C-alpha cells in the first residue's frame, strides 16, 4: 500500500522568503509519480509540480521546485519568494504507475501555509 | 482551454435523500476520477473512469455509484444519504490514465 506523510500541519513564512514543505512517501513499486497540489480556501485543487521516480533532475515550475531524494523517499516542495497569494493548503500526492489497473492519487493530510506581510 | 467544471457547486440535502453530482472534464481528456474530502478522513479516492468504463473503485459502500458518458462527462450518485456523506466532492480529469490529474472546483454537499 502507498502512504504519504506530511508532518507539518501548519507553516508560517514571511513574504518574499523561501519555504520548504516536507513530504515523505512509502511504496514498494519502482515506478511512481509525485505531485504537489495547492488548495486555496475556495476548495479547488491546483496542480503545481510533478516528479517521476525515474527523473534524474529535480522538477521546477516557476517559483516551485521539488527536492526529490529517492533514497530517503522524500519529495519536499520549495516555494521561493513567497507571495501573499501562496497562503493555502498544500497537498503532496503519489500515483503508482505499475500494475496497470489503478492510477488513483494517494494524498497526504496537507500543510497549511500562511504567508505574513 | 476551459478547466474541469462541476455542478452544482453547493448542495444541501436531508438524510435518506439521493444526490447526483456532475463533472465535465477538460476538452480531450478521457479519464475522470472522483475524490471525497472531509476534515476527518482527508482526501479519499472514490472512482476512476476511462472511456466509459469504471477502472477502479475506492473503499466506499455501494450507495456511491458513478458513470461516464461517451463525451467523457461523468456523474456520481449517492443514494440514501447519511450525515457522514457531508463533504467536498472533487472531480479530476486527465488525458489518459497515467497522466497528471487536473481538478475542478468541487461540489460542497451538506447533509442535514
Amino acid at each position: 500500500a502507498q502512504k504519504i506523510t506530511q508532518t507539518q500541519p501548519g507553516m508560517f513564512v514571511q513574504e518574499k522568503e523561501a519555504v520548504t514543505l516536507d513530504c515523505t512517501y512509502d511504496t514498494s513499486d519502482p515506478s511512481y509519480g509525485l505531485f504537489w497540489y495547492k488548495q486555496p480556501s475556495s476548495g479547488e485543487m491546483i496542480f503545481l509540480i510533478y516528479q517521476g521516480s525515474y527523473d534524474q533532475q529535480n522538477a521546477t515550475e516557476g517559483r516551485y521546485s521539488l527536492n526529490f531524494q529517492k533514497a530517503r523517499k522524500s519529495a519536499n516542495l520549495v516555494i521561493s519568494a513567497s507571495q501573499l497569494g501562496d497562503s493555502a493548503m498544500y497537498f503532496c500526492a503519489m500515483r503508482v504507475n505499475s500494475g496497470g489497473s489503478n492510477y488513483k492519487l494517494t494524498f497526504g493530510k496537507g500543510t497549511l501555509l500562511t504567508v505574513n506581510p | 482551454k476551459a478547466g474541469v467544471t462541476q455542478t452544482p457547486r453547493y448542495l444541501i440535502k436531508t438524510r435518506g435523500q439521493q444526490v447526483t453530482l456532475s463533472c465535465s472534464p477538460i476538452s480531450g481528456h478521457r479519464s475522470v476520477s472522483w475524490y471525497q474530502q472531509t476534515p476527518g478522513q482527508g482526501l479519499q479516492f472514490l472512482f476512476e473512469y476511462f472511456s466509459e468504463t469504471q477502472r477502479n473503485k475506492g473503499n466506499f459502500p455501494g450507495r456511491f455509484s458513478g458513470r461516464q458518458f461517451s463525451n467523457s462527462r461523468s456523474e456520481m450518485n449517492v443514494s440514501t444519504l447519511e450525515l457522514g456523506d457531508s463533504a467536498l466532492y472533487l472531480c479530476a480529469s486527465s488525458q489518459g490514465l497515467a497522466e497528471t490529474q487536473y481538478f475542478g472546483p468541487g461540489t460542497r454537499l451538506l447533509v442535514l
Side-chain angles (χ1 to χ4, degrees):
Chain A
Q2 298 83 42
K3 186 177 181 181
I4 294 283
T5 302
Q6 294 180 254
T7 58
Q8 306 154 314
M11 287 281 287
F12 293 89
V13 65
Q14 288 297 122
E15 194 178 8
K16 299 181 185 178
E17 291 186 349
V19 63
T20 298
L21 306 184
D22 294 341
C23 171
T24 58
Y25 60 92
D26 188 27
T27 181
S28 57
D29 285 89
S31 179
Y32 52 88
L34 296 158
F35 301 80
W36 278 91
Y37 287 88
K38 171 185 177 182
Q39 188 177 42
S41 56
S42 60
E44 182 172 358
M45 298 281 283
I46 301 167
F47 166 71
L48 296 177
I49 197 166
Y50 166 80
Q51 178 86 40
S53 59
Y54 293 119
D55 293 343
Q56 296 295 315
Q57 292 190 319
N58 287 342
T60 59
E61 289 285 352
R63 295 187 298 112
Y64 305 107
S65 60
L66 200 153
N67 185 0
F68 181 47
Q69 298 188 41
K70 196 170 183 177
R72 299 178 63 180
K73 292 191 174 180
S74 74
N76 298 338
L77 177 70
V78 180
I79 305 175
S80 63
S82 296
Q83 302 172 356
L84 295 178
D86 293 336
S87 293
M89 185 72 84
Y90 288 79
F91 290 95
C92 180
M94 176 170 62
R95 180 193 66 217
V96 170
N97 296 330
S98 56
S101 63
N102 186 348
Y103 295 99
K104 70 172 184 179
L105 290 171
T106 299
F107 287 88
K109 293 198 176 297
T111 295
L112 181 61
L113 176 66
T114 302
V115 180
N116 294 318
Chain B
K1 255 186 195 178
V4 179
T5 57
Q6 292 187 245
T7 56
R9 293 292 311 279
Y10 304 92
L11 208 49
I12 300 176
K13 292 285 187 179
T14 56
R15 279 183 302 173
Q17 287 187 310
Q18 75 165 14
V19 66
T20 299
L21 311 181
S22 181
C23 171
S24 293
I26 293 170
S27 177
H29 285 196
R30 297 172 64 192
S31 177
V32 172
S33 297
W34 288 87
Y35 296 84
Q36 181 198 63
Q37 185 178 24
T38 60
Q41 299 298 317
L43 282 146
Q44 294 185 285
F45 170 76
L46 279 159
F47 322 100
E48 174 186 59
Y49 288 91
F50 182 78
S51 294
E52 301 179 66
T53 301
Q54 186 180 91
R55 298 274 304 184
N56 197 36
K57 184 177 180 183
N59 188 25
F60 279 82
R63 300 185 296 106
F64 291 81
S65 63
R67 59 179 176 170
Q68 186 181 32
F69 301 95
S70 58
N71 61 357
S72 295
R73 190 177 69 86
S74 177
E75 288 181 349
M76 68 164 282
N77 183 76
V78 188
S79 62
T80 320
L81 284 166
E82 300 178 358
L83 296 179
D85 297 333
S86 294
L88 177 66
Y89 290 88
L90 291 161
C91 166
S93 77
S94 58
Q95 287 188 315
L97 286 169
E99 305 292 331
T100 296
Q101 295 183 16
Y102 296 89
F103 285 79
T107 295
R108 290 189 186 273
L109 171 65
L110 177 61
V111 182
L112 302 175

